[in-house]
Amino acid sequence: MYHKLIYFYSLELFFRLLYIFISFFLCVILASLNTYYLILFEVYPFILYELKKFIVTNIMDLFDIIWFMIIWKSFFFVFPYWAFQLYKFSSSSWYKYQLKFFKKSYYFSFSLTFLGLGFLHFSLLPLILYFLTKWEINRGDLFSVLVEFRIISYIKWVLTFRYFVGSLIFVIFLLILHLWFLIKINRIYFLIKYYRKSFIFGILCILFLVTPPDSFLQVFFLILIFLIFEAVFLFVCYKLCNIKILKYANV
């Protein structure tokens, strides 16, 4: 009996992984046929404020950019289908409430991540690039420093920064939802109130170890983590006040 179950589950897992691989391969084909639009989408924050031109120092830079963007975009667009296959594979062994919780938590986290990536790409990145391109020095004809961007460095930095922040937002909100439903609200209030600084310090230490030593990135993570903890603490206080009001009203 157990051998048959292992056989059927292994067969199902094989076909679902095959579907994911085929979807990824189709995304690679579609992305390779629309490389012009991919590059235009990536450089949109750069051209929004009519900034400088890009520099290509090697002819292979264009090939590296296209290949790099195709792989990243294909992984990004196949991720929802991978989550769907995981949901379907687990539906035969999970309870209904577990599947419902998985679906809601995934939708909520992915929606917030998508909104965060949109804000980062269309609002925050143009301001950052506009600020960086103003670091020019001009002291007459003897000495001048002009800021120019290499396109391959720009694409790699933007994709790495965007998807790292997106993954961080997705994991953080996914953990918050799990802790919110698995731990009582009084316990959450106690943990955030008395151990908030320790949590912030630990998370920032981990982020500073795994991220490049960029001052802007470190300040951004510091502000982001602080605002997330403050927002969660404010929401917990609001829920506790509502619970107390309802108890007094029932009395």
Side-chain angles (χ1 to χ4, degrees):
M1 182 65 182
Y2 292 104
H3 296 286
K4 291 183 178 180
L5 289 176
I6 293 174
Y7 171 75
F8 285 120
Y9 277 115
S10 301
L11 189 63
E12 182 185 2
L13 180 62
F14 171 76
F15 279 104
R16 293 193 182 278
L17 292 177
L18 181 63
Y19 296 155
I20 295 174
F21 176 76
I22 293 174
S23 300
F24 176 77
F25 183 71
L26 292 176
C27 288
V28 169
I29 295 176
L30 291 175
S32 61
L33 295 175
N34 298 275
T35 54
Y36 174 78
Y37 297 103
L38 291 179
I39 296 176
L40 180 62
F41 178 79
E42 294 300 333
V43 301
Y44 173 78
F46 190 82
I47 64 177
L48 186 62
Y49 290 104
E50 299 180 356
L51 301 175
K52 307 296 183 181
K53 297 180 180 180
F54 286 110
I55 297 177
V56 177
T57 58
N58 191 352
I59 191 63
M60 293 301 296
D61 287 351
L62 297 177
F63 177 79
D64 294 337
I65 290 167
I66 294 173
W67 178 250
F68 195 71
M69 291 177 57
I70 287 173
I71 297 299
W72 276 84
K73 293 298 181 182
S74 300
F75 274 117
F76 177 76
F77 286 112
V78 85
F79 177 73
Y81 186 70
W82 173 84
F84 172 76
Q85 292 295 338
L86 177 63
Y87 172 80
K88 287 298 183 181
F89 180 76
S90 305
S91 59
S92 60
S93 58
W94 287 2
Y95 292 104
K96 289 185 177 180
Y97 75 91
Q98 291 176 324
L99 295 173
K100 187 176 181 180
F101 175 73
F102 175 82
K103 186 187 296 185
K104 288 187 176 181
S105 61
Y106 173 79
Y107 285 161
F108 179 77
S109 301
F110 187 77
S111 299
L112 290 178
T113 303
F114 193 76
L115 292 175
L117 290 178
F119 171 77
L120 180 68
H121 184 75
F122 294 103
S123 298
L124 188 59
L125 274 179
L127 294 176
I128 296 172
L129 295 174
Y130 182 75
F131 173 73
L132 292 177
T133 51
K134 293 301 179 182
W135 289 2
E136 294 186 357
I137 302 175
N138 191 359
R139 295 292 185 269
D141 298 331
L142 296 178
F143 179 72
S144 63
V145 176
L146 301 177
V147 178
E148 297 288 348
F149 283 86
R150 288 185 61 198
I151 186 170
I152 187 169
S153 301
Y154 169 79
I155 294 295
K156 287 183 177 181
W157 179 79
V158 168
L159 290 178
T160 304
F161 177 71
R162 182 199 304 155
Y163 290 124
F164 180 79
V165 173
S167 302
L168 183 65
I169 294 174
F170 183 80
V171 172
I172 286 176
F173 280 104
L174 202 62
L175 290 176
I176 289 175
L177 282 176
H178 280 75
L179 293 176
W180 181 262
F181 287 101
L182 296 177
I183 302 178
K184 293 183 179 180
I185 190 169
N186 295 330
R187 185 66 177 174
I188 296 175
Y189 173 81
F190 175 79
L191 290 175
I192 296 178
K193 182 177 181 180
Y194 293 101
Y195 297 98
R196 176 172 46 186
K197 295 181 180 179
S198 300
F199 286 146
I200 293 176
F201 179 77
I203 293 173
L204 289 176
C205 285
I206 296 173
L207 289 177
F208 290 167
L209 288 175
V210 300
T211 54
D214 184 36
S215 58
F216 170 77
L217 197 61
Q218 293 176 353
V219 172
F220 174 76
F221 285 140
L222 177 62
I223 297 175
L224 179 64
I225 298 299
F226 179 78
L227 290 178
I228 289 175
F229 271 91
E230 290 297 326
V232 172
F233 184 70
L234 181 62
F235 184 72
V236 169
C237 294
Y238 174 75
K239 293 290 289 185
L240 286 175
C241 291
N242 286 340
I243 292 173
K244 290 181 180 181
I245 291 173
L246 290 176
K247 286 183 180 180
Y248 288 133
N250 293 328
V251 174

